[in-house]
Amino acid sequence: RINKEDIMLTQREFGERLKATRKKLKLTQKTISEKINVGQGTLSSWEDGAKVPNILSIINLCEACGLSLEHLLDLKKKRRTAP
């Protein structure tokens, strides 16, 4: 079970994690934005930490990149460090 305490990423941290993951996978913003049907500017604003995606977009990001929700939201790390 995931508790709200397990999700402690700030908008900026989420964006940094998304961008680092995309680059590690050698994907462009254009490629991902087309796969999940959002504008490239929208994806850029998520990576910059200006905005956060809704839950459906987060799920689509995971599917498009072959990632688990736990990985993208860094849940395992948050659980390990929780008391």
Side-chain angles (χ1 to χ4, degrees):
R1 182 174 163 207
I2 298 172
N3 297 310
K4 73 176 184 176
E5 293 82 20
D6 293 329
I7 304 173
M8 298 297 291
L9 289 176
T10 65
Q11 281 183 220
R12 182 185 53 78
E13 290 170 332
F14 175 81
E16 289 171 355
R17 185 161 184 80
L18 176 58
K19 185 175 187 174
T21 299
R22 176 181 60 77
K23 287 187 172 196
K24 185 176 181 179
L25 295 171
K26 298 181 180 171
L27 297 170
T28 64
Q29 285 182 342
K30 182 179 180 187
T31 299
I32 293 178
S33 62
E34 287 174 353
K35 283 184 176 187
I36 66 171
N37 200 31
V38 299
Q40 189 174 343
T42 298
L43 184 61
S44 178
S45 70
W46 296 342
E47 289 187 356
D48 292 340
K51 295 181 181 180
V52 291
N54 63 36
I55 190 65
L56 181 59
S57 294
I58 291 172
I59 292 167
N60 288 336
L61 281 168
C62 289
E63 290 177 355
C65 297
L67 303 171
S68 69
L69 191 58
E70 278 192 340
H71 174 80
L72 188 59
L73 297 179
D74 200 19
L75 297 178
K76 289 181 182 180
K77 179 181 175 190
K78 300 302 177 187
R79 287 184 188 177
R80 278 196 306 269
T81 59

